[in-house]
Every structure is written in C-alpha cells, then in structure tokens.
Amino acid sequence: MSGASGASGASGDKADVIVVGAGLAGLVATYELTRAGKRVLVVDQENEANLGGQAFWSLGGLFLVDSPEQRRMGIKDSRELALADWLGSAGFDREREDHWPRKWAEAYVDFAAGEKRDYLYGLGLRLTPNVGWAERGAGTATGHGNSVPRFHITWGTGPEVVRVFREPVLAAAARGLVTFKYRHRVDELVVEDGAAVGVRGAVLEPSDQARGVASSRKSVGEFELRAQAVLVTSGGIGGNQELVRKNWPVDRVGPAPSSMVTGVPAYVDGRMLGISEEAGASIVNRDRMWHYTEGVKNWDPIWPGHGIRIIPGPSSLWLDATGRRLPAPLFPGHDTLATLKHITASGHDHTWFVLTRAIVEKEFALSGSEQNPDITGKDLKLVLQRVKKGAPGPIQAFLDRGADFVVRRDLKDLVAGMNELTPSTPVSYEQVEREIVARDREAGHGYSKDLQLMAVRNARAYLPDRITRVAKPHRLLDPAHGPLIAVRLHVLTRKTLGGLETTLESQVVRPDGEVFDGLYAAGEVAGFGGGGVHGYNALEGTFLGGCVFSGRAAGRSLARRLA
C-alpha cells in the first residue's frame, strides 16, 4: 500500500464502524458486526502479517468453568466457586473505578461457565484434553488463586484462536463488508458535538517485516476516516517499558526493576490510551498490571528485548538474587504479584530457579505459540513425545543456548556458573548449599513440614499433573536426577489490567460517568472490559477469553445500536 493511495482512498471509504486495532478483540468485534451486515473499516499501524496481533503469540489458554474437559478429569467446578475465586483474586476496593469492572467480572464468569465453550466450538475451535492448574494462589480459601484446574489449552494455540475469527472476517471482506487499512497509525479521534465520528492519523511507509518484528514509523501521508462509531481495540502497554514504568504501582509492589525483558511486540505501545483520554475518555485502574516473574531472555528474539515466560511446575527451588529461598507460599506457579512484590523489595532485578534435569524435563513449559510447535502444529505424534524421557526441543534449545541457563554436574560448579552470569551480585556457595540441603532433608520421606513439598504432593494428586507436569519429589543433590540446573529469572512485562472505562455495552465512559457518544472499546485497552475486569490479579487463561468476550460484547452492542 503506497502512502498516496492510502491517504487519498481513506476519505472516500464508507463504513458503519471504524475498528482501531487488528488484534483478537478487533477481529471478534468485526466478526460480530459483519454477521449483522454492518460495514467495518479495520485500521492498524502494522502490516497484514500482524493480523491477529498479540494473541497469535499466546499459548492459547482459556479459562472455562465446569467444562466437559474438567468433568472428564474428575474436577468439580461451578459458577459459584469460580466467581468466589475471581472476586477473591480481584480484590475490588475502589468505589468509582471498580463499578463497571465488578459487573464485567460477574458477566465474564457467567460466560466462562455458560456460552463460551459452545461459542468457540461453533467456530471450529478445539481443546486439548488435559486441564492445567495455573495461579494456584496465596494459600487461603478466600484469597487469590484458582481452587481447581481451569486452564484449557487450545489445540493449535494462539494462531488457532486467531484463525477461527480471521477466516470469517476475511470472507466478509471478500463480500465487501470489511476494508483493512494497514500501516495507518491513528493519532487523533475525531469528535464533533461531543460524539466520536472518526479518526485521523499518519500513513506509514510500507513494511514487509515478518510478524512481530518492529517496523518503521516513518510517515508518508495523512488520512481521515469517518463512521457512525469508533471501536478502540488497540491493546495495552506491555511493549512500552517507558509507559509501564510511568504507571508502575510503586506503593503496592515496590519500585520497578531497573532491567526487565519484554513479553509482547513493540506495537503493544499504549498510544491509543493517551489519544482516547485526550479526546475525553475516562481511564481507570491504570496502576493495575500483570507482569511475570519467570522471564528469560529469548535466545532467538523476534521483537526488541524479547523475553519468554517459563510456565513452571511447582518443584523448582526459588532463590532470590542473594541465594536465599523465597518464603512460603511464593512457590512456582502460585501467586505472581505477591512474588513480584517480594522481588522488588529485595532491591535486585533477578531471582534463580535451582532444579534438576529430571524436573526440567517434566515440569518446564514455555509460554508462546512458537515455543510449542507440537500443539501449535496440531501434531499429536510430537505431543506424545512430551511424556517420554528427555526435554522437549524448545526447552533443550534454551538449555543449550539460553543466556540465563547454567547446567553443571555438581553444586560448586553450578554456583560458580551463576556468579559468572551475575558478577555484581554473587551468591554464596554456603548459602545455596544450606537452602538445598534443608529442602532435601524434607524430600526423603513421605511426610514434610515444607509447604512447597506439600504443594508438590497436592499437585500430584491431580492425575494429569502426575503424568505430564509434576516430577516425583526427590533430592536435588541426588546425582541420579542430575545434572543440576540454575535459571536466572527476569521480570517480564506482559498485560495491562486497567484501561478505558466501559459500560456492559462496551460504551466508553467520560470522567464524569456519562457515556462518550460514538466511542466504544474492547480487549486489553479496556482492561478486557469495564476498565479492569481482573481487579488486581488474574487467574490465567483469562486474557484471550477477555478479548473474545469484550470484543463479542462490543460487536453485538454496536450491531444493535447502529441504524
């Protein structure tokens, strides 16, 4: 697309709705609008290769309640239990800012316990049979965490979630209902008589960069587009570390680490939040965000500062930068934000996992569609290799090439390797040995006062975890399970939990609480609904589902309201 054609063609385009952002929420909303016969202009600053946005890179996890997959695994779940978990995790405590998020939370849990699975199945989406147990919580019945496994992985991961909406949207485009304006960067919302009636911005020079790779921001023209309504689905701020730091909740979790890795492409820049606010939209809960504590540098990066999250089983020994064990219940896979707070309080940017080859082979998974070629490629034969001895190919690649991985036969050599990675913050061999020996004493019998080992045994009581996900408890210093492995972990930026305040009809709200005529929002830019449906904590498997639910709500609301 040339700058000239992009600029001149824009003013003549006719549409009922302009969708700003070609990610998952935008695709879902466009799908719903075209089902109602509405004409849609989809505007995105990236090229066609990035259609589907950040969702493409995800593992494809979906939060479902009382699903057939759960019931087959003997999991007893209910809408009531899920809502209690959600509200206990969200911790809503702001009278104004949490008004709409509370309503969205109840509606989303209803969706997850009701229509969600059938809606996605009707589009051709399928799930793997095992249900994962993510964010196991803070150790209390009323606090944060999932009481039961609810993490359903899509057969085909993120690309498949994108596909089931992309294909009908492209079919609608072939019928003339959808026009894509790639390399069109929105810089301003057009507001007349208090209503959003269009967008203005710059046409960026053409780009042939591959999906996820940072592209040029050179402008070669201008555009203005108009429609009956504007729907913002532009994503969050996770790719913009400057904005992450600006909104960082220092009072709640301590100062932002001086060094972090980035879990999303550079185009997840948060620009539309500021642009919408300048036009008169309300942003709420901007200090709520979700960043992982188990990030590693990608040995084969796609976007700037590209980090990958380790999705750990519960057995790795977690040490801070000085070699001291993290306190209970800050175990792998349990309470992300509580762990983040502990790390920031330490005054250091990194922590360590110490584990054995037996643990890494059974328990390590990597977040991201590209890190799971078996599930992404729907290759059942390759998936079955996961239950065999040996590390999966992507894990082995990090063991061989990852900058944060140390593999050694004995503990002294392991600590020496750790200190080579962090010479400014060396760990004491005696300190690390003391922590491991104490832990190993508790692993040699069937009883224990060690809460982490109790959690491991609790996890192994769930059959899928025992077979595929959680290693049998053993001593870390037992050479039969070696070699020893240490992994330096970084904080990894990822999700925005606050955003544009919206009603249950996805209408954006002004700071005075009144509806902003003509302006709608969905997906991460809206805090996945209402400006913060997750509250302070997320239960995992809720991000893709949040894009689907809020995009669906926006599309259906607009279809009802437009002439």
Side-chain angles (χ1 to χ4, degrees), residues 469-523:
R469 192 74 173 102
V470 182
K472 185 177 181 180
H474 59 268
R475 292 184 297 109
L476 299 181
L477 295 181
D478 183 349
H481 295 281
L484 287 165
I485 298 166
V487 186
R488 178 178 57 180
L489 304 173
H490 310 264
V491 173
L492 178 142
T493 66
R494 183 61 67 84
K495 298 289 183 182
T496 311
L497 299 190
L500 292 172
E501 188 177 12
T502 60
T503 70
L504 283 176
E505 294 289 305
S506 300
Q507 297 170 290
V508 172
V509 174
R510 292 182 178 276
D512 62 4
E514 295 298 315
V515 167
F516 192 142
D517 288 343
L519 188 61
Y520 295 72

Coordinates of all heavy atoms in Angstrom, one line a residue, residues 469-523:
R469 N 3.2 -33.3 34.3 CA 3.5 -32.0 34.6 C 4.3 -31.8 35.9 O 5.1 -30.9 36.1 CB 2.2 -31.2 34.8 CG 2.4 -29.7 34.9 CD 2.7 -29.1 33.6 NE 2.7 -27.6 33.6 CZ 3.8 -26.9 33.7 NH1 5.0 -27.5 33.7 NH2 3.7 -25.6 33.7
V470 N 4.3 -32.8 36.8 CA 4.9 -32.6 38.1 C 5.8 -33.8 38.4 O 5.4 -35.0 38.5 CB 3.9 -32.5 39.3 CG1 4.6 -32.2 40.6 CG2 2.9 -31.3 39.0
A471 N 7.1 -33.5 38.6 CA 8.1 -34.6 38.9 C 7.9 -35.2 40.2 O 7.4 -34.5 41.2 CB 9.5 -34.0 38.8
K472 N 8.2 -36.5 40.4 CA 8.2 -37.1 41.7 C 9.2 -36.5 42.6 O 10.3 -36.2 42.2 CB 8.5 -38.6 41.5 CG 8.4 -39.4 42.7 CD 8.7 -40.9 42.5 CE 8.5 -41.7 43.7 NZ 8.8 -43.2 43.5
P473 N 8.8 -36.2 43.8 CA 9.7 -35.5 44.7 C 11.0 -36.3 44.9 O 11.0 -37.5 45.1 CB 8.9 -35.4 46.1 CG 7.5 -35.4 45.6 CD 7.5 -36.3 44.4
H474 N 12.1 -35.6 44.8 CA 13.4 -36.2 45.0 C 14.4 -35.2 45.5 O 14.2 -34.0 45.5 CB 13.9 -36.8 43.7 CG 14.1 -35.8 42.6 ND1 13.0 -35.5 41.7 CD2 15.1 -35.0 42.2 CE1 13.4 -34.6 40.8 NE2 14.6 -34.2 41.1
R475 N 15.6 -35.6 46.0 CA 16.6 -34.7 46.5 C 17.3 -34.0 45.3 O 17.7 -34.7 44.3 CB 17.6 -35.5 47.3 CG 17.1 -36.0 48.6 CD 18.1 -36.7 49.5 NE 18.7 -37.8 48.8 CZ 19.9 -38.0 48.3 NH1 20.7 -36.9 48.4 NH2 20.3 -39.1 47.8
L476 N 17.4 -32.7 45.4 CA 18.1 -32.0 44.3 C 19.6 -32.4 44.1 O 20.1 -32.4 43.0 CB 18.0 -30.5 44.5 CG 16.6 -29.9 44.6 CD1 16.7 -28.4 44.8 CD2 15.8 -30.2 43.3
L477 N 20.2 -32.8 45.2 CA 21.6 -33.2 45.1 C 21.8 -34.7 44.8 O 22.9 -35.2 44.9 CB 22.3 -32.8 46.4 CG 22.4 -31.3 46.7 CD1 23.1 -31.1 48.0 CD2 23.0 -30.6 45.6
D478 N 20.7 -35.4 44.5 CA 20.9 -36.8 44.1 C 21.4 -36.8 42.6 O 20.6 -36.4 41.7 CB 19.5 -37.5 44.2 CG 19.6 -39.0 43.9 OD1 20.6 -39.4 43.4 OD2 18.5 -39.7 44.1
P479 N 22.6 -37.3 42.4 CA 23.1 -37.3 41.0 C 22.3 -38.1 40.1 O 22.4 -37.9 38.8 CB 24.5 -37.9 41.2 CG 24.5 -38.6 42.5 CD 23.5 -37.9 43.4
A480 N 21.5 -39.0 40.5 CA 20.7 -39.9 39.6 C 19.7 -39.0 38.9 O 19.1 -39.4 37.8 CB 20.0 -41.0 40.4
H481 N 19.3 -37.8 39.4 CA 18.4 -36.9 38.8 C 19.0 -35.8 38.1 O 18.3 -34.9 37.6 CB 17.4 -36.4 39.8 CG 16.5 -37.5 40.4 ND1 15.4 -38.1 39.8 CD2 16.7 -38.2 41.6 CE1 14.9 -39.0 40.6 NE2 15.6 -39.1 41.7
G482 N 20.3 -35.7 38.1 CA 21.1 -34.6 37.6 C 21.2 -34.6 36.0 O 20.7 -35.5 35.4
P483 N 21.9 -33.6 35.5 CA 22.7 -32.6 36.2 C 21.9 -31.5 36.9 O 20.7 -31.5 36.7 CB 23.6 -32.0 35.1 CG 22.8 -32.2 33.9 CD 22.1 -33.5 34.1
L484 N 22.6 -30.7 37.7 CA 21.9 -29.5 38.3 C 21.7 -28.4 37.3 O 22.6 -28.2 36.4 CB 22.7 -29.0 39.5 CG 22.7 -29.9 40.8 CD1 23.8 -29.5 41.7 CD2 21.3 -29.8 41.4
I485 N 20.7 -27.6 37.4 CA 20.4 -26.5 36.5 C 20.0 -25.3 37.4 O 19.3 -25.4 38.3 CB 19.3 -26.9 35.6 CG1 19.7 -28.1 34.7 CG2 18.9 -25.7 34.7 CD1 18.5 -28.7 33.9
A486 N 20.5 -24.2 37.0 CA 20.1 -22.9 37.6 C 19.6 -22.0 36.4 O 20.2 -22.0 35.3 CB 21.3 -22.2 38.3
V487 N 18.5 -21.3 36.6 CA 18.0 -20.4 35.6 C 17.8 -19.0 36.2 O 17.1 -18.9 37.2 CB 16.6 -20.9 35.1 CG1 16.1 -20.0 34.0 CG2 16.7 -22.4 34.7
R488 N 18.5 -18.0 35.7 CA 18.3 -16.7 36.1 C 17.0 -16.2 35.5 O 16.7 -16.2 34.3 CB 19.5 -15.8 35.6 CG 19.3 -14.3 36.0 CD 20.5 -13.5 35.5 NE 20.7 -13.7 34.0 CZ 21.7 -13.1 33.4 NH1 22.6 -12.3 34.0 NH2 21.8 -13.2 32.1
L489 N 16.1 -15.6 36.4 CA 14.8 -15.2 36.0 C 14.7 -13.6 36.1 O 15.2 -13.0 37.0 CB 13.8 -15.8 37.0 CG 13.8 -17.3 37.1 CD1 12.8 -17.7 38.2 CD2 13.4 -17.9 35.8
H490 N 14.1 -13.1 35.1 CA 13.8 -11.6 35.0 C 12.3 -11.4 35.1 O 11.5 -12.2 34.8 CB 14.3 -11.1 33.6 CG 15.7 -11.5 33.3 ND1 16.8 -10.7 33.5 CD2 16.2 -12.6 32.7 CE1 17.9 -11.3 33.1 NE2 17.5 -12.5 32.6
V491 N 12.0 -10.2 35.5 CA 10.6 -9.7 35.4 C 10.3 -9.5 33.9 O 11.1 -8.9 33.2 CB 10.4 -8.4 36.2 CG1 9.0 -7.9 35.9 CG2 10.5 -8.7 37.7
L492 N 9.2 -10.0 33.5 CA 8.8 -9.9 32.1 C 7.5 -9.1 31.9 O 6.5 -9.5 32.5 CB 8.6 -11.3 31.5 CG 8.1 -11.5 30.1 CD1 8.9 -12.7 29.4 CD2 6.6 -11.8 30.0
T493 N 7.5 -8.0 31.2 CA 6.3 -7.2 31.0 C 5.3 -8.0 30.2 O 5.6 -8.6 29.2 CB 6.6 -5.9 30.4 OG1 7.1 -6.1 29.0 CG2 7.7 -5.1 31.1
R494 N 4.0 -7.8 30.5 CA 3.0 -8.5 29.7 C 1.7 -7.8 29.6 O 1.4 -7.1 28.6 CB 2.8 -9.9 30.3 CG 1.8 -10.8 29.5 CD 2.3 -11.1 28.0 NE 3.5 -11.8 28.0 CZ 3.5 -13.2 28.0 NH1 2.4 -13.9 28.2 NH2 4.7 -13.8 27.9
K495 N 0.8 -7.8 30.6 CA -0.6 -7.4 30.4 C -0.9 -6.1 31.2 O -0.4 -5.8 32.3 CB -1.5 -8.5 30.8 CG -1.4 -9.8 30.0 CD -1.9 -9.6 28.6 CE -1.7 -10.9 27.8 NZ -2.2 -10.8 26.5
T496 N -1.9 -5.4 30.6 CA -2.5 -4.2 31.2 C -3.8 -4.6 31.8 O -4.7 -5.0 31.1 CB -2.6 -3.1 30.2 OG1 -1.4 -3.0 29.4 CG2 -3.0 -1.8 30.8
L497 N -4.0 -4.4 33.1 CA -5.2 -4.8 33.8 C -6.2 -3.6 33.9 O -7.4 -3.8 34.2 CB -4.9 -5.4 35.1 CG -4.1 -6.7 35.2 CD1 -4.1 -7.3 36.5 CD2 -4.6 -7.7 34.1
G498 N -5.8 -2.4 33.7 CA -6.7 -1.2 33.7 C -6.8 -0.7 32.3 O -6.2 -1.2 31.4
G499 N -7.6 0.3 32.1 CA -7.8 0.9 30.8 C -9.0 1.7 30.7 O -9.5 2.3 31.6
L500 N -9.5 1.8 29.4 CA -10.7 2.7 29.2 C -11.9 2.1 29.9 O -12.2 1.0 29.8 CB -10.9 2.7 27.7 CG -9.9 3.4 26.8 CD1 -10.2 3.3 25.3 CD2 -9.9 4.9 27.2
E501 N -12.6 3.0 30.6 CA -13.8 2.6 31.4 C -14.9 2.4 30.4 O -15.2 3.3 29.6 CB -14.1 3.7 32.4 CG -15.2 3.4 33.4 CD -15.5 4.4 34.4 OE1 -14.9 5.6 34.2 OE2 -16.2 4.2 35.4
T502 N -15.6 1.3 30.5 CA -16.7 1.0 29.6 C -17.9 0.4 30.4 O -17.7 -0.3 31.3 CB -16.3 -0.1 28.5 OG1 -15.8 -1.3 29.1 CG2 -15.1 0.5 27.6
T503 N -19.1 0.6 29.8 CA -20.3 0.0 30.3 C -20.3 -1.4 29.8 O -19.5 -1.9 29.0 CB -21.5 0.8 29.8 OG1 -21.6 0.5 28.4 CG2 -21.4 2.3 30.1
L504 N -21.3 -2.2 30.3 CA -21.5 -3.5 29.8 C -21.9 -3.6 28.3 O -21.8 -4.7 27.7 CB -22.6 -4.2 30.6 CG -22.2 -4.7 32.0 CD1 -23.4 -5.3 32.8 CD2 -21.1 -5.7 31.9
E505 N -22.2 -2.4 27.7 CA -22.5 -2.4 26.3 C -21.2 -1.9 25.6 O -21.3 -1.7 24.4 CB -23.6 -1.3 26.0 CG -24.9 -1.8 26.6 CD -25.5 -2.9 25.8 OE1 -25.7 -2.8 24.5 OE2 -25.9 -3.9 26.4
S506 N -20.1 -1.9 26.3 CA -18.8 -1.6 25.7 C -18.7 -0.1 25.3 O -17.7 0.3 24.6 CB -18.4 -2.4 24.5 OG -18.4 -3.8 24.8
Q507 N -19.6 0.7 25.8 CA -19.5 2.2 25.5 C -18.5 2.8 26.4 O -18.5 2.6 27.7 CB -20.9 2.8 25.7 CG -22.0 2.4 24.8 CD -23.3 2.9 25.2 OE1 -23.8 2.4 26.3 NE2 -23.9 3.8 24.5
V508 N -17.6 3.6 25.9 CA -16.6 4.3 26.7 C -17.3 5.4 27.6 O -18.2 6.0 27.1 CB -15.5 4.9 25.8 CG1 -14.6 5.8 26.7 CG2 -14.7 3.8 25.1
V509 N -16.8 5.5 28.8 CA -17.4 6.5 29.7 C -16.4 7.7 29.9 O -15.2 7.5 29.8 CB -17.5 5.8 31.1 CG1 -18.0 6.7 32.2 CG2 -18.6 4.6 31.0
R510 N -17.0 8.8 30.1 CA -16.2 10.0 30.3 C -15.9 10.1 31.8 O -16.5 9.4 32.7 CB -17.0 11.3 29.9 CG -17.2 11.4 28.4 CD -17.9 12.7 28.0 NE -18.1 12.8 26.6 CZ -17.2 13.4 25.8 NH1 -16.0 13.8 26.3 NH2 -17.4 13.5 24.5
P511 N -14.9 11.0 32.2 CA -14.6 11.1 33.6 C -15.8 11.4 34.6 O -15.7 11.1 35.8 CB -13.5 12.2 33.7 CG -12.9 12.1 32.3 CD -14.0 11.7 31.4
D512 N -16.8 12.1 34.0 CA -18.0 12.4 34.9 C -19.0 11.3 35.0 O -20.0 11.4 35.6 CB -18.7 13.7 34.3 CG -19.2 13.5 32.9 OD1 -19.1 12.4 32.4 OD2 -19.7 14.5 32.4
G513 N -18.6 10.2 34.3 CA -19.5 9.0 34.4 C -20.5 8.9 33.3 O -21.2 7.9 33.2
E514 N -20.6 9.9 32.5 CA -21.5 9.9 31.3 C -20.9 9.1 30.2 O -19.7 9.0 30.0 CB -21.8 11.3 30.9 CG -22.6 12.1 31.9 CD -24.0 11.5 32.2 OE1 -24.7 11.1 31.3 OE2 -24.3 11.4 33.4
V515 N -21.8 8.6 29.3 CA -21.3 7.8 28.2 C -20.7 8.7 27.1 O -21.3 9.8 26.9 CB -22.5 7.0 27.6 CG1 -22.1 6.4 26.2 CG2 -22.9 5.9 28.5
F516 N -19.6 8.3 26.5 CA -19.0 9.1 25.4 C -19.7 8.6 24.1 O -19.4 7.5 23.6 CB -17.5 8.8 25.4 CG -16.6 9.6 24.5 CD1 -15.4 10.0 25.0 CD2 -17.0 10.1 23.3 CE1 -14.6 10.8 24.2 CE2 -16.3 10.9 22.5 CZ -15.0 11.3 23.0
D517 N -20.5 9.4 23.6 CA -21.3 9.0 22.4 C -20.4 8.6 21.2 O -19.4 9.3 20.9 CB -22.2 10.2 21.9 CG -23.4 10.4 22.8 OD1 -23.7 9.5 23.6 OD2 -24.0 11.5 22.7
G518 N -20.7 7.5 20.6 CA -19.9 7.0 19.5 C -18.6 6.3 19.7 O -18.0 5.8 18.8
L519 N -18.2 6.3 21.0 CA -16.9 5.7 21.3 C -17.1 4.4 22.1 O -17.7 4.4 23.1 CB -16.0 6.6 22.0 CG -14.5 6.2 22.2 CD1 -13.8 6.0 20.9 CD2 -13.7 7.2 23.0
Y520 N -16.4 3.3 21.6 CA -16.5 2.0 22.2 C -15.1 1.5 22.4 O -14.2 1.9 21.7 CB -17.3 1.0 21.4 CG -18.8 1.4 21.2 CD1 -19.2 2.5 20.5 CD2 -19.8 0.7 21.9 CE1 -20.5 2.9 20.3 CE2 -21.1 1.0 21.8 CZ -21.5 2.1 21.0 OH -22.8 2.5 20.9
A521 N -14.9 0.5 23.3 CA -13.6 -0.1 23.5 C -13.8 -1.6 23.9 O -14.8 -1.9 24.6 CB -12.8 0.7 24.5
A522 N -12.8 -2.4 23.5 CA -12.8 -3.8 23.9 C -11.4 -4.3 24.0 O -10.5 -3.7 23.4 CB -13.6 -4.6 22.9
G523 N -11.2 -5.4 24.6 CA -9.9 -6.0 24.7 C -9.0 -5.4 25.8 O -9.5 -4.8 26.8

